[in-house]
Amino acid sequence: MANVKTNTEAQRLTFWERIYLPEIARGMGLTFKQMLQPTFTRQYPEERWEPEGSYRGRPVLVLEDGKERCVACGLCSRVCPALAIEVRAAETTDDKERYPEKFEINMLRCIYCGFCEEVCPEEAIVMSKDYELVFGSQEEGILGKEKLLVPVAQLRDRLEFLRQWK
Amino acid sequence: MPQLIIDGRVLEVEPGKTIIEAAFENGITIPHFCWHPALSPDGNCRMCLVTVGAHKKDSDGALLYGDDGNPEVSWFPKKQIACATPVTDGMIVDSISKETVETQNAVMEFLLINHPLDCPICDEAGQCKLQEYALVHSKGKSRFDEEKVAKDKRVQLGPNIIFDGERCISCSRCIRFADEVAKQPVLTFVGRGDKVTITTFPDTTFDSPYSMNVIDICPVGALTSMDFRFKARVWEMSFTDSVCPGCARGCNISIGVMNNEVLRTEPVTNMHVNNYWMCDHGRLAVPTIVNNNRTSGPMIRRDGVLESVTWDEAIAATVERLKSFKPQEITILGSSLASNEDNYLLAKLAKEQLQTSNIDYIQHLSHDFGDDMLRVNETAPNAIGAHTAGIAVGTNGHGVAKLVDRIKHGDVKVLVVLEDSLDDFSDELAEASAGVEALIVLTSHTNLTAKQASILLPTTVFAETEGTFTNIHHRVQHFSPAVVTKDNERLMTMKQSRWDKFGAPNDRWSSGEKRDARPAWKIIQALCVGLGANYAFGSSGDVFNDMAHHLSGFKDMSYPSLKKHQGLILGKGNSPEKEEEVYQSHVMKPA
Ligand code: SF4
Ligand code: SF4
Ligand code: SF4
Ligand code: SF4
Ligand code: FES
């Protein structure tokens, strides 16, 4: 360390820089200039942002004809790197044979990777545009079927995006 | 013995074997669906097609070799099925060349033409032969543009089996099993071509006591179990090798557990005990035994009601009662339901600590459970083991036969019962046992005797601990813990399924009950120590090693050797059977 020259802040600054005043004036100049530029700030939450179909918000289940598309194959739950999904299957009388008796996503575990959506053979779980996730307790962060099921009409953008790019 | 070459390996096999058998015995697996070593060859699936030829000879009969030193072969023009072609001397078989594999791929394409895209909802997925071979032998694309044929998807073939016509690849394994092994020939093919399907003959149902084995040998998911249907996917469970406690045959089994609950039982091939099979009774009994009606947490009767106490309190109270009576006032009942280790320590408690000779066990004999296949009339798993471990009436002692009279005469003050419910012996005994001063019960189930207990010490069942049973043919067999209890929790972590392993307290999916039960040997050891012994067995293995040291029957045995040889015969610890390739139809491939 002996041959390293000391290079403190004070030594690097010039005299004018060290007395600050011109620098303050320069800073204020920049601020005033920006005040006259067009604004980009969004007045959230009054003004909400609508994401594109490519956005990966909270994963939801597709509700079609009053039923879930999900057949409870458990692949999302297997692929989920965060172990956020629990699926329990049961038998139905209709052609699909099985449905998820219980489907829970623990949003405190979910990392929004979208693997569940990618692996789903039925296009039954997709990433929604929903990014507003606040929970008052750990229990509340575990979403059951009633919170997960979203009518297919509201998910058109994402399904369109998947058809095109998946 | 005929000598043949399969894929460049020179093999010598017994005459009369088929190519697939010769290959299998030597560790070469030829793809197959309909062949099963226990069933007659049927040759219908064509998956095992191989190229067969003979070594070329010149006009003098000398064998010809090519420039590279390899034999010159005259190949048969058509491919042969390995499962029904007997080996002949000098035969040359190729199962791996590009041409052969392409033939197998073509068969696979035919098999997949009408196969539904059901894997996501199919119970077989993850251990399905069709999936497995599709990975290797299929392009992943179908050239079949037409509609797939639709068949019935929910046909009940018997009380325990549901058949899905679309998934069936018509291999006839189930039909041959019913005819040849279960000896209940009620299954048959009907229809022709792509309409062919399986049904039972009119007015029959496939209800053989072994019917559920067809679920295991069905190479696809066409046969599903009424009991298990859709309960879990195979990769969600952990599978642990164990021994069926349903009868004294001791069929080797694998126990599937999820969320600390037994969901599924499957036979494990052991050619010395159960071959490839197990009975339906055992298969359905195992989940019931482990999951239902269990005791949890020690209890002491105070003012007529059983109250929960800590283990230390319960042990201390038991020791105190054992100390306060004369040896001949104490009677000890071991159990043919408990492991060798449990019975061994109980015998030590009786003989070395209490010096009582009143020691016996209750026999579980049925008149009609046994048959000429696997089931035997002895319906407890370990009578031979209990006896060998030292549970036998001593000189001047009294057994279970005179117990009722002795209790009525006031000769029995303390009765220690391991596992059994006394009403299994007689209702009279159960009634009389209420009259002893202390009824100390070590049991895993809330049976009648548990309800009458003065002190209740909950024990683990076979699926929650490591141990051994000795079957009716004197074979000592090892089982491992599959289910977590408060006692074995730390040892079990890595053995659990992915879900159970990584579940945190705030995950609702890891909510399975962990029972507060201990292996009986551990409880008995604590009692012995309370009575002044200096035993310090740390694990079931330590107890077993002690047995191997002191009891001639178990000489030269250890857990690793029992596992390696799939069990050893009493007294023959150092002469295991020859190891052979083991065929398991149903395998879960490692992830
Ligand atoms: S987005 Fe990723 S982390 Fe979230 S549930 Fe799906 S697979 Fe799991
Ligand atoms: S039988 Fe096998 S290939 Fe067919 S649907 Fe079931 S898992 Fe898939
Ligand atoms: S049900 Fe299974 S075992 Fe029976 S013929 Fe069909 S595929 Fe083979
Ligand atoms: S034959 Fe006995 S040991 Fe075998 S599965 Fe049946 S009950 Fe269990
Ligand atoms: S295994 Fe040989 S034809 Fe099926």
Side-chain angles (χ1 to χ4, degrees), chain B residues 115-119 122-126 128 130-131 167 219-222:
Chain B
H115 200 79
L117 284 171
D118 266 1
C119 302
C122 179
D123 272 351
E124 189 85 351
C128 172
L130 198 64
Q131 274 188 326
R167 290 181 201 153
V220 291

Side-chain angles (χ1 to χ4, degrees), chain A residues 71-75 77-78 80 83 85-94 96-98 102 104 106 108-109 121 138-139 142, chain B residues 117-123 153-154 162 164 167 229-233 235-236 258-259 498-499 502-504 506-509 591:
Chain A
V71 292
C73 72
L75 293 183
S77 135
R78 177 64 185 86
C80 177
L83 285 104
I85 307 180
E86 183 194 0
V87 192
R88 287 290 122 243
E91 192 154 3
T92 66
T93 43
D94 47 281
K96 278 201 312 198
E97 284 199 319
R98 50 192 269 164
K102 174 178 180 191
E104 287 185 348
N106 187 341
L108 304 172
R109 278 183 174 267
Q138 290 198 335
E139 282 298 298
I142 302 175
Chain B
L117 284 171
D118 266 1
C119 302
I121 56 166
C122 179
D123 272 351
K153 286 186 83 69
R154 270 177 269 204
I162 290 196
D164 182 320
R167 290 181 201 153
R229 235 167 120 77
F230 304 161
K231 272 198 190 151
R233 319 260 21 219
W235 56 83
E236 292 175 338
M258 190 186 68
N259 202 5
R498 183 171 179 251
W499 301 107
F502 296 118
N506 65 329
D507 287 313
R508 289 193 206 151
W509 35 262

Side-chain angles (χ1 to χ4, degrees), chain B residues 20 31-35 43-48 81-83:
Chain B
I20 205 167
H32 60 277
F33 287 111
C34 70
W35 175 72
N44 62 48
C45 75
R46 319 309 284 183
M47 193 61 207
C48 63
I81 46 172
C83 69

Side-chain angles (χ1 to χ4, degrees), chain B residues 529-544:
Chain B
V529 169
L531 290 164
N534 59 346
Y535 306 151
F537 302 114
S539 66
S540 315
D542 292 348
V543 182
F544 190 80

Side-chain angles (χ1 to χ4, degrees), chain B residues 33-34 44 157 163-165 167-176 187 189 197-198 214-215 217-223:
Chain B
F33 287 111
C34 70
N44 62 48
L157 292 185
F163 168 69
D164 182 320
R167 290 181 201 153
C168 171
I169 56 164
S170 306
C171 73
S172 86
R173 269 184 174 189
C174 54
I175 302 180
R176 281 175 289 149
L187 298 181
F189 282 131
T197 188
I198 305 244
V214 294
I215 299 165
I217 59 169
C218 177
V220 291
L223 299 170

